[in-house]
Amino acid sequence: MNPYPTLSGETLVVPIVGDPIAQVKSPDGITREFAARGCAGVVVPMQISGDHLDALIAGLTPSGSIGGLIATVPHKFGVARHCGTLTDRAAFLGSVNVARRNADGTWHGDQVDGAAYVSAVRANGGDPAGRRVLQIGAGGA
């Protein structure tokens, strides 16, 4: 089985924005997961400075081909400002690392760094209940 979707006019593009961006490893894994779930989507890393983030999001938002947004350093707070709605945790943190479309075309943001960490601990047999953790280098988490 081909781990990547066949690109077509129906392919959804999910930019992952960051500065720097060369270090990200997630575009490959997420694109493979999309394909495994039958979703014609591709994650594309996009280098963008903070000075140009607002213009980029303003330009991407009208496109129906943009299926979501992923933010890495230093743009987790900047992407949050572009969200019409936020989960409670994203609102509390003022930070977003994933965003999807609302029915009205605006963005709905969430911050899943901490939840992903806890999920990984549990998946590896750990129990984080009642424990304290220092998470370093996790952006807005």
Side-chain angles (χ1 to χ4, degrees):
M1 177 181 149
N2 183 353
Y4 280 88
T6 300
L7 301 180
S8 72
E10 295 179 347
T11 302
L12 293 175
V13 177
V14 178
I16 179 169
V17 296
D19 184 22
I21 198 68
Q23 79 287 354
V24 299
K25 305 290 187 234
S26 58
D28 180 66
I30 297 170
T31 298
R32 288 174 187 273
E33 187 63 27
F34 284 165
R37 294 179 182 215
C39 174
V42 61
V43 177
V44 178
M46 298 185 82
Q47 170 73 36
I48 188 76
S49 71
D51 293 343
H52 296 103
L53 179 67
D54 293 340
L56 177 70
I57 294 176
L60 294 173
T61 296
S63 174
S65 295
I66 303 299
L69 298 170
I70 303 172
T72 189
V73 294
H75 299 316
K76 294 178 183 188
F77 299 102
V79 171
R81 289 192 307 268
H82 288 273
C83 292
T85 57
L86 298 166
T87 63
D88 289 343
R89 67 181 157 216
F92 175 76
L93 296 166
S95 170
V96 162
N97 69 333
V98 293
R100 64 161 171 79
R101 297 280 187 172
N102 286 316
D104 65 0
T106 60
W107 294 107
H108 176 73
D110 197 0
Q111 175 48 265
V112 298
D113 286 340
Y117 177 82
V118 169
S119 179
V121 168
R122 288 185 175 137
N124 288 289
D127 181 6
R131 307 264 182 182
R132 297 183 71 174
V133 171
L134 173 62
Q135 189 172 356
I136 299 174

